[in-house]
Protein backbone atom coordinates (compact mmCIF):
# COMPACT_ATOMS: atom_id res chain seq x y z
CA UNK A 1 0.00 0.00 0.00
CA UNK A 2 1.42 3.39 -0.97
CA UNK A 3 2.22 6.05 1.60
CA UNK A 4 -0.35 8.43 0.05
CA UNK A 5 -3.08 5.79 0.35
CA UNK A 6 -2.16 5.11 3.98
CA UNK A 7 -2.23 8.82 4.86
CA UNK A 8 -5.55 9.23 3.09
CA UNK A 9 -7.07 6.33 5.02
CA UNK A 10 -5.73 7.68 8.31
CA UNK A 11 -7.17 11.12 7.53
CA UNK A 12 -10.57 9.58 6.75
CA UNK A 13 -10.52 7.63 10.03
CA UNK A 14 -9.64 10.79 11.97
CA UNK A 15 -12.51 12.63 10.33
CA UNK A 16 -14.95 9.84 11.15
CA UNK A 17 -13.77 9.82 14.77
CA UNK A 18 -14.21 13.60 14.92
CA UNK A 19 -17.71 13.23 13.51
CA UNK A 20 -18.60 10.69 16.20
CA UNK A 21 -17.24 13.02 18.88
CA UNK A 22 -19.25 15.96 17.54
CA UNK A 23 -22.62 14.24 17.66
CA UNK A 24 -21.87 12.79 21.10
CA UNK A 25 -21.03 16.29 22.36
CA UNK A 26 -24.21 17.57 20.73
CA UNK A 27 -26.29 15.30 22.98
CA UNK A 28 -24.98 17.17 26.02
CA UNK A 29 -25.65 20.58 24.46
CA UNK A 30 -29.13 19.40 23.45
CA UNK A 31 -29.90 18.32 27.01
CA UNK A 32 -28.69 21.73 28.22
CA UNK A 33 -30.87 23.44 25.56
CA UNK A 34 -27.91 25.36 24.17
CA UNK A 35 -26.56 25.94 20.66
CA UNK A 36 -23.01 25.69 19.39
CA UNK A 37 -21.28 28.55 17.58
CA UNK A 38 -24.09 31.15 17.67
CA UNK A 39 -22.37 34.36 18.72
CA UNK A 40 -24.19 37.45 20.04
CA UNK A 41 -25.51 39.50 17.13
CA UNK A 42 -25.68 36.47 14.84
CA UNK A 43 -28.92 34.92 13.60
CA UNK A 44 -29.49 31.18 13.97
CA UNK A 45 -31.34 29.61 11.04
CA UNK A 46 -32.77 26.30 12.22
CA UNK A 47 -33.27 23.33 9.91
CA UNK A 48 -33.90 20.37 12.23
CA UNK A 49 -37.68 20.52 11.99
CA UNK A 50 -37.77 18.91 8.54
CA UNK A 51 -36.25 15.67 9.81
CA UNK A 52 -37.65 15.52 13.34
CA UNK A 53 -40.64 13.27 12.61
CA UNK A 54 -38.52 10.83 10.62
CA UNK A 55 -35.75 10.67 13.23
CA UNK A 56 -38.10 10.20 16.18
CA UNK A 57 -40.13 7.58 14.30
CA UNK A 58 -37.00 5.63 13.39
CA UNK A 59 -35.74 5.91 16.97
CA UNK A 60 -39.00 4.42 18.24
CA UNK A 61 -38.65 1.53 15.80
CA UNK A 62 -35.09 0.93 17.03
CA UNK A 63 -36.28 0.85 20.65
CA UNK A 64 -39.00 -1.69 19.79
CA UNK A 65 -36.44 -3.78 17.90
CA UNK A 66 -34.11 -3.67 20.91
CA UNK A 67 -36.81 -5.02 23.20
CA UNK A 68 -37.85 -7.72 20.72
CA UNK A 69 -34.28 -8.92 20.18
CA UNK A 70 -33.75 -8.97 23.95
CA UNK A 71 -36.73 -11.31 24.34
CA UNK A 72 -35.63 -13.58 21.50
CA UNK A 73 -32.07 -13.87 22.83
CA UNK A 74 -32.96 -14.21 26.49
CA UNK A 75 -31.52 -17.76 26.55
CA UNK A 76 -28.28 -16.67 24.87
CA UNK A 77 -26.56 -14.26 27.27
CA UNK A 78 -23.47 -13.58 25.12
CA UNK A 79 -25.42 -12.83 21.96
CA UNK A 80 -27.94 -10.84 23.97
CA UNK A 81 -25.20 -8.65 25.46
CA UNK A 82 -23.62 -7.96 22.05
CA UNK A 83 -26.94 -7.08 20.42
CA UNK A 84 -27.97 -4.93 23.37
CA UNK A 85 -24.81 -2.83 23.02
CA UNK A 86 -25.28 -2.47 19.26
CA UNK A 87 -28.97 -1.59 19.58
CA UNK A 88 -28.39 0.94 22.34
CA UNK A 89 -25.63 2.56 20.30
CA UNK A 90 -27.98 2.76 17.30
CA UNK A 91 -30.66 4.50 19.38
CA UNK A 92 -28.04 6.88 20.76
CA UNK A 93 -26.78 7.61 17.24
CA UNK A 94 -30.28 8.43 16.00
CA UNK A 95 -30.80 10.85 18.87
CA UNK A 96 -27.34 12.29 18.21
CA UNK A 97 -28.34 12.96 14.59
CA UNK A 98 -31.22 15.15 15.74
CA UNK A 99 -29.21 16.70 18.56
CA UNK A 100 -26.47 17.77 16.15
CA UNK A 101 -29.03 19.38 13.83
CA UNK A 102 -30.73 21.26 16.67
CA UNK A 103 -27.56 22.49 18.39
CA UNK A 104 -25.67 23.34 15.19
CA UNK A 105 -28.02 25.55 13.15
CA UNK A 106 -26.96 27.64 10.19
CA UNK A 107 -25.54 30.95 11.44
CA UNK A 108 -25.92 34.30 9.67
CA UNK A 109 -23.28 36.69 10.94
CA UNK A 110 -22.37 40.25 10.01
CA UNK A 111 -19.96 39.13 7.28
CA UNK A 112 -20.34 35.37 6.91
CA UNK A 113 -23.01 32.76 6.27
CA UNK A 114 -22.02 29.59 8.13
CA UNK A 115 -23.93 26.60 6.79
CA UNK A 116 -23.90 23.30 8.69
CA UNK A 117 -25.17 19.79 8.11
CA UNK A 118 -25.48 18.58 11.67
CA UNK A 119 -22.13 17.12 12.75
CA UNK A 120 -21.24 15.96 9.23
CA UNK A 121 -19.77 19.09 7.67
CA UNK A 122 -19.98 22.85 7.45
CA UNK A 123 -19.34 25.57 4.89
CA UNK A 124 -18.50 29.23 5.48
CA UNK A 125 -19.47 31.73 2.77
CA UNK A 126 -18.33 35.38 2.92
CA UNK A 127 -21.39 37.54 2.34
CA UNK A 128 -19.46 39.68 -0.14
CA UNK A 129 -19.30 36.65 -2.48
CA UNK A 130 -23.07 36.13 -2.57
CA UNK A 131 -24.50 37.33 -5.87
CA UNK A 132 -28.11 36.12 -5.49
CA UNK A 133 -30.37 34.40 -2.96
CA UNK A 134 -33.79 32.90 -3.61
CA UNK A 135 -36.41 30.69 -2.05
CA UNK A 136 -36.19 27.49 -4.07
CA UNK A 137 -37.90 24.36 -2.72
CA UNK A 138 -36.33 21.19 -4.17
CA UNK A 139 -36.73 17.55 -3.25
CA UNK A 140 -33.40 15.83 -3.70
CA UNK A 141 -33.54 12.47 -5.48
CA UNK A 142 -29.96 12.22 -6.65
CA UNK A 143 -26.71 14.11 -6.37
CA UNK A 144 -27.53 17.10 -8.52
CA UNK A 145 -24.57 19.04 -9.88
CA UNK A 146 -24.40 22.14 -12.00
CA UNK A 147 -21.30 21.32 -13.98
CA UNK A 148 -19.64 20.06 -10.80
CA UNK A 149 -19.97 23.48 -9.16
CA UNK A 150 -22.90 23.00 -6.77
CA UNK A 151 -23.31 21.50 -3.31
CA UNK A 152 -26.53 20.57 -1.50
CA UNK A 153 -26.98 20.45 2.27
CA UNK A 154 -30.34 18.68 2.25
CA UNK A 155 -32.48 17.96 5.31
CA UNK A 156 -35.27 15.43 5.08
CA UNK A 157 -34.47 15.03 1.39
CA UNK A 158 -35.10 18.68 0.57
CA UNK A 159 -33.48 22.08 0.18
CA UNK A 160 -35.37 25.38 0.25
CA UNK A 161 -32.78 28.14 -0.31
CA UNK A 162 -30.42 28.55 -3.25
CA UNK A 163 -27.37 30.82 -3.04
CA UNK A 164 -25.46 31.85 -6.16
CA UNK A 165 -21.88 33.02 -5.66
CA UNK A 166 -19.83 35.57 -7.57
CA UNK A 167 -16.65 33.71 -6.58
CA UNK A 168 -16.29 30.01 -5.71
CA UNK A 169 -15.78 28.67 -2.21
CA UNK A 170 -14.26 25.33 -1.22
CA UNK A 171 -16.61 22.75 0.28
CA UNK A 172 -15.06 19.88 2.26
CA UNK A 173 -16.93 16.58 2.58
CA UNK A 174 -17.12 14.32 5.60
CA UNK A 175 -14.11 12.26 4.49
CA UNK A 176 -12.09 15.28 3.35
CA UNK A 177 -13.06 15.46 -0.33
CA UNK A 178 -12.71 19.07 -1.50
CA UNK A 179 -14.62 20.75 -4.30
CA UNK A 180 -14.94 24.30 -5.56
CA UNK A 181 -18.57 25.40 -5.74
CA UNK A 182 -20.46 28.40 -7.07
CA UNK A 183 -23.99 27.28 -6.15
CA UNK A 184 -25.05 26.22 -2.66
CA UNK A 185 -28.47 24.84 -1.74
CA UNK A 186 -29.53 24.36 1.86
CA UNK A 187 -32.66 23.98 3.94
CA UNK A 188 -34.07 26.33 6.56
CA UNK A 189 -37.27 25.69 8.50
CA UNK A 190 -38.40 29.27 7.83
CA UNK A 191 -36.89 29.60 4.37
CA UNK A 192 -38.63 32.83 3.32
CA UNK A 193 -37.53 34.67 6.45
CA UNK A 194 -34.00 33.32 6.00
CA UNK A 195 -33.90 34.60 2.41
CA UNK A 196 -35.17 38.04 3.46
CA UNK A 197 -32.63 38.46 6.24
CA UNK A 198 -29.79 37.08 4.14
CA UNK A 199 -30.57 39.59 1.39
CA UNK A 200 -30.60 42.41 3.93
CA UNK A 201 -27.21 41.43 5.32
CA UNK A 202 -25.72 41.04 1.85
CA UNK A 203 -27.01 44.53 0.96
CA UNK A 204 -25.52 45.93 4.18
CA UNK A 205 -22.13 44.43 3.35
CA UNK A 206 -22.30 45.87 -0.17
CA UNK A 207 -23.21 49.29 1.24
CA UNK A 208 -20.24 49.21 3.63
CA UNK A 209 -17.90 48.31 0.77
CA UNK A 210 -19.25 51.17 -1.35
CA UNK A 211 -18.79 53.61 1.52
CA UNK A 212 -15.23 52.38 2.08
CA UNK A 213 -14.46 52.73 -1.63
CA UNK A 214 -15.94 56.23 -1.72
CA UNK A 215 -13.91 57.21 1.32
CA UNK A 216 -10.69 56.00 -0.32
CA UNK A 217 -11.36 57.74 -3.66
CA UNK A 218 -9.41 60.95 -4.39
CA UNK A 219 -11.32 64.22 -4.11
CA UNK A 220 -12.12 66.15 -7.25
CA UNK A 221 -10.18 69.16 -5.95
CA UNK A 222 -7.00 67.10 -5.82
CA UNK A 223 -6.75 66.67 -2.05
CA UNK A 224 -6.55 63.22 -0.48
CA UNK A 225 -9.68 61.53 0.84
CA UNK A 226 -10.35 62.55 4.42
CA UNK A 227 -8.11 65.62 4.22
CA UNK A 228 -9.73 68.93 5.08
CA UNK A 229 -9.91 71.53 2.27
CA UNK A 230 -7.93 74.75 2.69
CA UNK A 231 -9.55 77.05 5.22
CA UNK A 232 -11.38 80.03 3.82
CA UNK A 233 -9.13 83.11 3.71
CA UNK A 234 -5.88 81.10 3.82
CA UNK A 235 -3.35 81.72 1.06
CA UNK A 236 -3.21 78.80 -1.35
CA UNK A 237 -0.58 79.96 -3.79
CA UNK A 238 -0.58 83.71 -4.00
CA UNK A 239 0.16 85.77 -0.91
CA UNK A 240 -2.33 88.14 0.58
CA UNK A 241 -2.25 91.58 -0.93
CA UNK A 242 -0.23 93.89 1.34
CA UNK A 243 -1.13 97.53 1.89
CA UNK A 244 1.07 100.18 0.32
Amino acid sequence: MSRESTLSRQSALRRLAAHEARWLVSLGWWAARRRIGVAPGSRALGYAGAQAAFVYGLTFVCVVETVAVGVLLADHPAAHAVMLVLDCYTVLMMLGLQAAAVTRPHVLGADTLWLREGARRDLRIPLERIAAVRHDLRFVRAAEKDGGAAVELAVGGQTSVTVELSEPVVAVGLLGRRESVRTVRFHADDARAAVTELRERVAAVAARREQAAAGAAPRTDGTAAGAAPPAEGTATGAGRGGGG
Side-chain angles (χ1 to χ4, degrees):
M1 183 179 297
S2 66
R3 177 178 176 80
E4 291 77 8
S5 178
T6 300
L7 292 176
S8 177
R9 179 169 297 183
Q10 290 175 349
S11 176
L13 290 175
R14 284 195 299 269
R15 286 181 172 275
L16 286 175
H19 171 254
E20 294 287 307
R22 284 193 296 270
W23 68 253
L24 283 169
V25 169
S26 296
L27 287 168
W29 284 75
W30 194 28
R33 304 180 69 85
R34 297 177 62 187
R35 294 177 296 188
I36 301 171
V38 182
S42 298
R43 170 72 185 277
L45 307 175
Y47 56 86
Q51 69 178 26
F54 171 77
V55 172
Y56 293 142
L58 191 56
T59 301
F60 175 75
V61 171
C62 290
V63 171
V64 172
E65 188 264 349
T66 299
V67 174
V69 170
V71 172
L72 291 174
L73 297 179
D75 296 332
H76 305 277
H80 179 222
V82 172
M83 291 304 300
L84 181 62
V85 170
L86 292 176
D87 287 340
C88 288
Y89 182 80
T90 300
V91 171
L92 192 65
M93 184 170 60
M94 294 305 301
L95 293 175
L97 174 66
Q98 182 67 7
V102 171
T103 60
R104 299 171 184 268
H106 305 312
V107 180
L108 179 56
D111 301 297
T112 305
L113 174 62
W114 184 11
L115 300 177
R116 298 191 277 190
E117 191 179 15
R120 287 175 54 84
R121 60 176 175 173
D122 57 60
L123 175 64
R124 294 177 186 265
I125 303 175
L127 295 185
E128 62 184 19
R129 296 191 185 186
I130 296 179
V133 184
R134 65 181 182 273
H135 177 251
D136 183 20
L137 183 60
R138 292 170 177 251
F139 291 92
V140 182
R141 295 177 181 172
E144 196 173 322
K145 302 290 182 180
D146 294 342
V151 67
E152 293 179 328
L153 280 69
V155 180
Q158 67 181 10
T159 62
S160 54
V161 180
T162 294
V163 177
E164 304 286 349
L165 306 178
S166 57
E167 299 179 37
V169 296
V170 176
V172 182
L174 175 61
L175 298 181
R177 182 174 178 269
R178 303 169 68 89
E179 57 181 330
S180 181
V181 299
R182 282 184 174 272
T183 301
V184 179
R185 301 187 184 100
F186 66 94
H187 177 70
D189 290 336
D190 191 349
R192 296 187 185 278
V195 168
T196 298
E197 185 151 358
L198 182 52
R199 285 174 175 169
E200 291 175 354
R201 300 242 179 159
V202 170
V205 169
R208 289 202 303 268
R209 293 183 66 188
E210 289 178 0
Q211 291 175 356
R219 296 173 59 94
T220 56
D221 60 7
T223 59
E232 186 177 350
T234 302
T236 59
R240 291 185 179 180

